[in-house]
């Protein structure tokens, strides 16, 4: 374990979407109707201010508002198998669980229509949306700590070479205290205008101001291992394996012997982690603007909506209180340093069709241009391509007051083994949602919905040709969202 591993792991959190449906950095569930229907790309309700702003011309003249809140609960689980882990409790497989929750995630859409023109806006959390906590750290960190017992044999070799002895230094137990947490919010404020070209076609132009706020905390401390030393002159190394000691206990012995410099460097870093600890408390902020254009086609029972959001080019700036995670003691989150944090371009298209007066079917498609968006360390180059999503839903009007609906979404990422990391893994998934609405009056509708996401596990192997040193990580996730909202007009 060393400080560089800690820093690299925390940096990975900069690209984590902590909850929600959508691409690697983008949330697309921005209303309660999404939770119960999902396919809103051809919406002509007030939530079209986000999903299909060109379709807002189908509203009646006047003011229209939609307010929603979502409660989101997610877990991230990594089951890691690595032979040296057995030295921390007897089992080479360990489970690392991260929890994330956001009970209050509001969003607001609004529109004002007058004749052929509509002025609209949206306020929402368009990326991130919560805090993820790994109370027991991550396997990428513990894998380094578990290497400590193996280093001891190298120290023994150096001492034997100098002293002409045949001593051994062994260890079969280690322990370490680690913690990781991070929060990520991308707030979006969208404004634009829609014009009705004729009875069939309408167009939209606008922009979204995206504001990023991230906060990362973590530590690695109290690294210990037992030492059993045999075959050395009396008084040189008096360890019988009965107690846990820090790497500092044998650092001096390594320096006295002819142990190679790399071993001494490793012990020195491990000593720092065990005594001083490696700590991080850093915030990041930045902003950028994305132009948005849209187009809507309406013909009898069919409505088709299209939207293109341009890439948001932005950097986030570090505002760091504590950071000693770097190899030279200065840290890797230096205060004032900027990191690439682009939000990918997005193309959406969808259609809705009134099969019966009471029954409407909707379909949609999203493509996120992830590979063209700059990420920390040019991580986007590790992607095979962008994210694709396929959506569908049905809505049935029971009577003038009540309606029910259900929908689904399939998400396929263009990730690779090299892209996946302990704190930034994206998994293919499908989501199912259902719910309903109550028309309290002609001007007021209450929406309620629930959806959950089922993810496909991803298995990644890291290590070298030695089977005993190959680590197998199985990434998995769960996600549940409850949403409620109200639409009203006047």
């Amino acid at each position: 374990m060393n400080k560089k591993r800690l820093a690299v792991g925390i940096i990975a959190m900069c690209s984590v979407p902590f909850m929600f449906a959508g691409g690697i950095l983008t949330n697309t569930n921005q209303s309660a109707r999404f939770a119960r229907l999902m396919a809103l790309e051809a919406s002509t309700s007030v939530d079209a201010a986000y999903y299909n702003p060109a379709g807002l011309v189908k509203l009646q003249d006047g003011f229209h508002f939609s307010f929603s809140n979502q409660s989101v609960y997610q877990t991230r689980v990594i089951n890691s198998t690595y032979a040296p882990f057995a030295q921390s409790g007897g089992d080479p497989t360990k489970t690392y669980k991260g929890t994330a929750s956001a009970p209050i995630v509001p969003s607001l859409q609004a529109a004002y229509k007058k004749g052929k023109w509509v002025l609209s806006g949206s306020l929402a959390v368009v990326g991130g949306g919560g805090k993820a906590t790994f109370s027991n750290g991550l396997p990428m960190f513990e894998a380094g700590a578990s290497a400590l017992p193996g280093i001891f044999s190298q120290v023994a070799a150096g001492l034997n070479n100098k002293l002409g002895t045949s001593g051994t230094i062994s260890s079969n137990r280690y322990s370490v205290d680690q913690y990781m947490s991070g929060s990520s919010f991308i707030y979006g404020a969208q404004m634009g205008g829609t014009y009705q070209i004729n009875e069939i076609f309408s167009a939209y132009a606008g922009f979204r101001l995206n504001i990023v706020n991230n906060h990362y905390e973590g530590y690695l401390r109290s690294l210990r291992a037992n030492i059993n030393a045999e075959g050395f002159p009396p008084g040189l190394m008096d360890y019988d394996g009965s107690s846990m000691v820090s790497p500092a206990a044998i650092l001096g012995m390594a320096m006295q012997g002819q142990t190679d410099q790399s071993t001494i460097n490793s012990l020195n870093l491990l000593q720092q982690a065990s005594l001083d600890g490696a700590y991080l408390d850093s915030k990041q902020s930045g902003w950028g603007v994305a132009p948005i254009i849209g187009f809507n086609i309406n013909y009898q029972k069919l409505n088709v909506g299209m939207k293109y959001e341009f890439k948001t080019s932005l950097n986030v700036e570090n505002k760091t209180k504590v950071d000693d995670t770097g190899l030279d003691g200065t840290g890797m989150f230096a205060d004032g340093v900027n990191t690439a944090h682009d939000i990918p371009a997005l193309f959406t298209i969808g259609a809705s069709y009134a099969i019966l007066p009471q029954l409407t079917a909707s379909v949609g498609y999203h493509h996120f241009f992830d590979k063209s968006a700059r990420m920390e360390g040019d991580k986007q180059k590790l992607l095979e391509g962008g994210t694709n999503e396929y959506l569908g839903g049905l809505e049935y009007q029971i009577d003038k007051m009540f309606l029910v609906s259900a929908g689904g979404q399939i998400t396929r990422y263009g990730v690779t083994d090299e892209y996946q990391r302990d704190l930034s893994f994206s998994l293919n998934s499908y989501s199912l949602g259902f719910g309903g609405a109550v028309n309290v009056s002609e001007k007021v509708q209450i929406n309620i919905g629930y959806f959950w996401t089922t993810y496909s596990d991803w298995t990644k192997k890291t290590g070298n040709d030695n089977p005993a040193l190959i680590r197998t990580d199985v990434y998995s996730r769960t996600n549940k969202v409850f949403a409620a909202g109200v639409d009203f007009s006047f």
Side-chain angles (χ1 to χ4, degrees):
M1 173 81 64
N2 58 49
K3 297 186 178 185
K4 184 176 182 180
R5 287 179 181 269
L6 178 64
V8 169
I10 300 176
I11 288 174
M13 298 177 74
C14 299
S15 60
V16 176
F18 286 102
M19 30 207 69
F20 299 141
I24 290 176
L25 277 181
T26 309
N27 299 336
T28 56
N29 47 322
Q30 300 298 340
S31 77
R33 287 186 71 226
F34 177 91
R36 67 175 179 82
L37 183 59
M38 295 204 164
L40 298 177
E41 290 66 38
S43 172
T44 56
S45 298
V46 62
D47 57 15
Y50 172 80
Y51 292 101
N52 179 34
L56 290 169
V57 295
K58 295 303 176 182
L59 295 172
Q60 295 181 353
D61 283 5
F63 289 95
H64 306 267
F65 296 90
S66 176
F67 177 78
S68 300
N69 181 69
Q70 300 179 70
S71 298
V72 189
Y73 304 93
Q74 185 183 96
T75 63
R76 294 169 177 251
V77 179
I78 306 173
N79 288 302
S80 184
T81 301
Y82 187 51
F85 285 166
Q87 299 174 110
S88 68
D91 194 335
T93 299
K94 303 191 72 172
T95 298
Y96 303 81
K97 183 177 181 180
T99 58
S101 63
I104 300 176
V105 184
S107 61
L108 173 67
Q109 285 87 40
Y112 173 71
K113 181 176 183 290
K114 180 70 172 179
K116 293 184 176 183
W117 289 92
V118 184
L119 178 66
S120 63
S122 174
L123 294 172
V125 179
V126 296
K131 179 178 181 179
T133 301
F134 288 82
S135 299
N136 297 317
L138 292 164
M140 65 183 295
F141 304 154
E142 188 153 346
S146 66
L148 178 59
I151 294 176
F152 293 163
S153 61
Q154 301 175 42
V155 175
L159 289 173
N160 289 330
N161 186 58
K162 179 179 181 179
L163 302 175
T165 58
S166 58
T168 61
I169 304 174
S170 61
S171 174
N172 58 14
R173 284 182 295 132
Y174 74 89
S175 63
V176 66
D177 182 18
Q178 53 174 322
Y179 170 87
M180 294 292 300
S181 73
S183 62
S184 178
F185 291 88
I186 303 177
Y187 304 99
Q190 179 178 328
M191 289 190 65
T194 302
Y195 178 72
Q196 184 176 10
I197 301 171
N198 54 40
E199 290 298 319
I200 297 177
F201 301 106
S202 57
Y204 168 87
F207 68 92
R208 181 182 299 119
L209 171 65
N210 294 304
I211 301 173
V212 178
N213 280 288
N214 300 328
H215 186 198
Y216 310 114
E217 296 179 280
Y219 61 73
L220 185 161
R221 62 192 183 190
S222 303
L223 176 59
R224 299 289 186 270
N226 70 330
I227 299 176
N228 182 43
E230 298 178 343
F232 295 103
L236 180 63
M237 297 193 74
D238 297 324
Y239 299 107
D240 61 4
S242 60
S243 59
M244 304 290 282
V245 298
S246 76
I250 64 166
L251 179 61
M253 294 294 100
M255 297 179 68
Q256 289 181 33
Q258 296 180 12
T259 304
D260 63 276
Q261 189 62 41
S262 64
T263 300
I264 293 176
N265 291 343
S266 296
L267 284 168
N268 190 45
L269 288 168
L270 291 167
Q271 176 191 223
Q272 293 174 34
S274 63
L275 298 180
D276 305 326
Y279 297 86
L280 174 68
D281 185 353
S282 180
K283 295 182 179 180
Q284 295 179 325
S285 61
W287 64 273
V289 176
I292 304 172
I293 56 175
F295 196 67
N296 191 79
I297 304 171
N298 183 265
Y299 182 72
Q300 295 183 357
K301 299 179 181 180
L302 175 68
N303 194 78
V304 178
M306 291 171 279
K307 181 181 68 169
Y308 183 79
E309 300 183 7
F310 290 80
K311 179 180 70 175
T312 307
S313 298
L314 63 83
N315 294 321
V316 290
E317 180 181 356
N318 297 336
K319 297 179 181 179
T320 303
K321 292 182 179 179
V322 179
D323 179 14
D324 57 3
T325 60
L327 296 176
D328 58 0
T330 60
M332 298 181 69
F333 276 77
D335 190 55
V337 172
N338 290 321
T339 303
H341 201 298
D342 290 353
I343 300 173
L346 167 63
F347 171 73
T348 71
I349 185 170
S352 64
Y353 184 78
I355 302 172
L356 299 171
Q358 302 90 357
L359 179 65
T360 301
S362 301
V363 293
Y365 169 74
H366 301 162
H367 180 77
F368 298 86
F369 297 84
D370 302 310
K371 199 168 177 62
S372 300
R374 297 174 307 137
M375 300 180 185
E376 176 274 325
D378 279 337
K379 192 182 174 188
Q380 74 279 0
K381 294 181 180 179
L382 302 177
L383 295 169
E384 289 184 342
T387 301
N388 294 298
E389 292 185 322
Y390 311 89
L391 307 95
L394 291 171
E395 187 172 70
Y396 182 75
Q397 186 80 45
I398 299 174
D399 54 32
K400 290 184 178 181
M401 188 171 187
F402 298 101
L403 64 84
V404 293
S405 63
Q409 173 179 292
I410 298 172
T411 301
R412 294 293 179 263
Y413 294 101
V415 297
T416 62
D417 259 4
E418 291 75 16
Y419 179 89
Q420 303 284 51
R421 300 176 185 174
D422 289 0
L423 270 170
S424 60
F425 54 88
S426 299
L427 306 177
N428 292 335
S429 66
Y430 67 87
S431 301
L432 296 174
F434 63 91
V438 179
N439 294 314
V440 180
S441 69
E442 291 184 358
K443 301 292 186 179
V444 180
Q445 182 183 74
I446 296 175
N447 290 278
I448 189 169
Y450 172 82
F451 79 88
W452 72 95
T453 304
T454 300
Y455 295 88
S456 300
D457 291 349
W458 186 287
T459 300
K460 178 180 178 179
K461 293 186 177 183
T462 56
N464 52 37
D465 295 333
N466 185 349
L469 297 179
I470 293 177
R471 190 175 91 239
T472 301
D473 297 321
V474 180
Y475 298 120
S476 61
R477 290 171 61 175
T478 65
N479 191 61
K480 300 176 182 178
V481 179
F482 174 80
V486 57
D487 298 352
F488 59 94
S489 305
F490 59 87

